[in-house]
């Protein structure tokens, strides 16, 4: 974070400063966090009330870890300065806005905002890997993309930062717009609109409205990077004043991929840019569907003036999408475990199963270990049915369904009528692990896929360790 005095932070957050023994002119430049365990000397601790606990209860731990300042909603008996605000999350956003505004005034910082139902974190990682080759780049850790995580990322910006890559998620209309008010992008990227979180949004059209917020506030001198292959995203061109840069596999896209070949070691393709340049890319991230994320990252980087050789170098340097996202594990006895159980929507689940069918066919038997897809609301039953059918029709060798919320996939696969015992169901991950430990054979390729809430990422880790 940039240097700010206690009084400047209090003014930015509209809070009441209680300096204690410190002077109001004391300079603070540490990063902010809402987790006291992550606080290091000089940091700002933001005490955020939660559904299960209250951050104020951990203020003493934050001070013990070296917090230089607390932002709180009620005055505490602590030995460090504190700023009392009405709402700590709102104050966190206001502080991020102040920092971004000051750094923006220096004329160096360029901001890229990324949203979409799937692929935000992967695209963020790919773009950051490219931009880091050009200048200081700040991007979110993990999936810091909400009203808390996004401003925490923004507060890591310094006067030397050239690029901020902001992942912007939402579970309702207005949430992306709120993040954009903190840090308006020069380039807004929309990847895909699907059924992820459709239950929270209230339907696909509400999802479209929410994601459109990424480009609706862009200025004529800004750029909207849009997926030409997704009709819902392509329609957003009518909602922005910005210049539109299309990416996709469609021949009309100005940033596109051709000659795509997916294998167990990654995906090869030819990258084409608007200036007519092209280059071969040997992309290590598993799954042909991640090529679209690579194209989005390449499009944004190209608009920021990055040469194609650096774009390719950055893309090729990324070996996995993110922890628990198409993460290759195992290796012993030629067993390959793909742990993709951090998140799951109908689109990402379908893409992962297609990848399993593609790369497993060249190795041996394929096993899909699947859990529930969360936050689908009224679409849950139908979408779990569709996945069960897809597993059968793609010829996956064995389906292992885990958890009562996902059992419908197992029933649907059985009812398809083409299998005899190839689908099994277990209520718990421990039961599934015991079965798989005895079932997996040399040469098998195993996909573990579910929403985070299903907890199968830990099952994937256990299988990876078993076959390491």
């Amino acid at each position: 974070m940039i240097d700010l005095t206690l009084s400047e932070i209090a003014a930015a957050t509209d809070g009441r400063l209680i300096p204690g023994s410190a002077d109001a002119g004391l300079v603070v430049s540490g990063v902010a966090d809402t987790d006291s365990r992550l606080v290091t000397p000089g940091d700002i601790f933001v005490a955020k009330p939660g559904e299960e606990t209250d951050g104020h209860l951990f203020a003493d731990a934050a001070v013990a870890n070296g917090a230089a300042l607390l932002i709180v909603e009620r005055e505490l008996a602590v030995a460090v300065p504190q700023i009392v605000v009405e709402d700590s999350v709102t104050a966190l956003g206001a502080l991020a806005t102040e920092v971004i505004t000051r750094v923006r005034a220096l004329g160096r910082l360029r901001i890229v905002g990324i949203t979409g139902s799937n692929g935000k974190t992967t695209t963020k990682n790919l773009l950051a890997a490219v931009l880091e080759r050009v200048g200081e780049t700040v991007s979110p850790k993990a999936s810091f993309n909400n009203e808390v995580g996004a401003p925490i990322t923004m507060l890591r910006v310094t006067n030397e930062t050239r690029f901020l890559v902001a992942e912007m998620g939402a579970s309702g209309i207005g949430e992306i717009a709120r993040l954009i008010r903190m840090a308006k992008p020069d380039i807004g990227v929309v990847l895909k609109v699907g059924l992820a979180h459709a239950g929270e949004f209230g339907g696909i059209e509400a999802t479209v409205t929410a994601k459109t917020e990424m480009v609706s506030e862009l200025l004529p001198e800004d750029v909207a990077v849009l997926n030409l292959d997704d009709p819902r995203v392509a329609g957003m061109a009518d909602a922005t004043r910005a210049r539109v840069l299309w990416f996709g596999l469609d021949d009309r896209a100005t940033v596109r991929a051709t000659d795509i070949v997916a294998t167990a070691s990654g995906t090869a393709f030819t990258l084409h840019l608007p200036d007519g340049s092209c280059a071969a890319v040997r992309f290590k991230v598993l799954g042909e569907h991640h090529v679209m994320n690579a194209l989005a990252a390449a499009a944004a980087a190209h608009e920021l003036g990055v040469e194609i050789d650096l774009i390719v170098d950055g893309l090729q340097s990324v070996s996995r999408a993110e922890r628990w996202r198409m993460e290759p594990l195992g290796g012993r006895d030629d067993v390959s475990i793909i742990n993709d159980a951090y998140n799951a929507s109908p689109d990402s689940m379908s893409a992962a199963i297609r990848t399993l069918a593609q790369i497993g066919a060249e190795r041996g038997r394929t096993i899909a270990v699947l859990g529930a897809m969360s936050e689908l609301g009224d679409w849950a039953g139908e979408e779990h049915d569709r996945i069960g059918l897809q597993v059968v029709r793609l010829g996956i060798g064995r389906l292992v369904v885990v958890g009562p919320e996902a059992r419908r996939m197992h029933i649907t696969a059985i009812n398809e009528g083409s299998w005899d015992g190839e689908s099994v169901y277990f209520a718990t991950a421990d039961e599934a692990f015991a079965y798989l430990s005895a079932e997996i054979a040399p040469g098998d390729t195993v996909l573990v896929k579910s929403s985070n809430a299903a907890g199968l990422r830990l099952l994937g880790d256990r299988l990876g360790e078993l076959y390491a």
Side-chain angles (χ1 to χ4, degrees), residues 28-51:
V28 178
S29 58
V31 298
D33 211 302
T34 58
D35 188 336
S36 62
R37 296 168 297 181
L38 301 179
V39 170
T40 60
D43 286 352
I44 302 170
F45 175 64
V46 181
K48 181 178 77 71
E51 295 181 2

Side-chain angles (χ1 to χ4, degrees), residues 332-333 335-339 341 356 365-371 396-403 421-449 455-467:
R332 180 173 61 83
D333 296 335
V335 171
S336 177
I337 309 294
I338 303 171
N339 194 355
L356 175 64
R365 186 175 61 159
T366 52
I367 302 175
V369 184
L370 307 181
I396 302 301
R398 182 62 52 93
L399 172 62
V400 180
V401 177
V402 186
E422 286 93 341
S423 181
V424 294
Y425 166 76
F426 299 100
T428 69
D430 285 341
E431 292 174 293
F433 179 76
Y435 168 80
L436 289 163
S437 299
E439 177 65 22
I440 294 173
D444 284 350
T445 302
V446 184
L447 168 71
V448 183
K449 178 72 174 172
L456 295 198
R457 66 192 187 282
L458 302 180
L459 172 60
D461 282 347
R462 291 175 71 187
L463 292 172
E465 292 170 3
L466 183 64
Y467 288 95

Side-chain angles (χ1 to χ4, degrees), residues 152-191:
I152 286 175
T153 298
M154 295 170 192
L155 286 170
R156 290 169 42 217
V157 166
T158 70
N159 290 332
E160 286 70 47
T161 303
R162 286 192 59 186
F163 306 108
L164 168 63
V165 181
E167 181 181 339
M168 297 182 175
S171 57
I173 293 173
E175 293 183 10
I176 292 175
R178 179 164 56 249
L179 298 180
I180 286 174
R181 285 194 291 272
M182 298 178 197
K184 190 195 76 64
D186 302 289
I187 299 174
V189 180
V190 185
L191 301 168

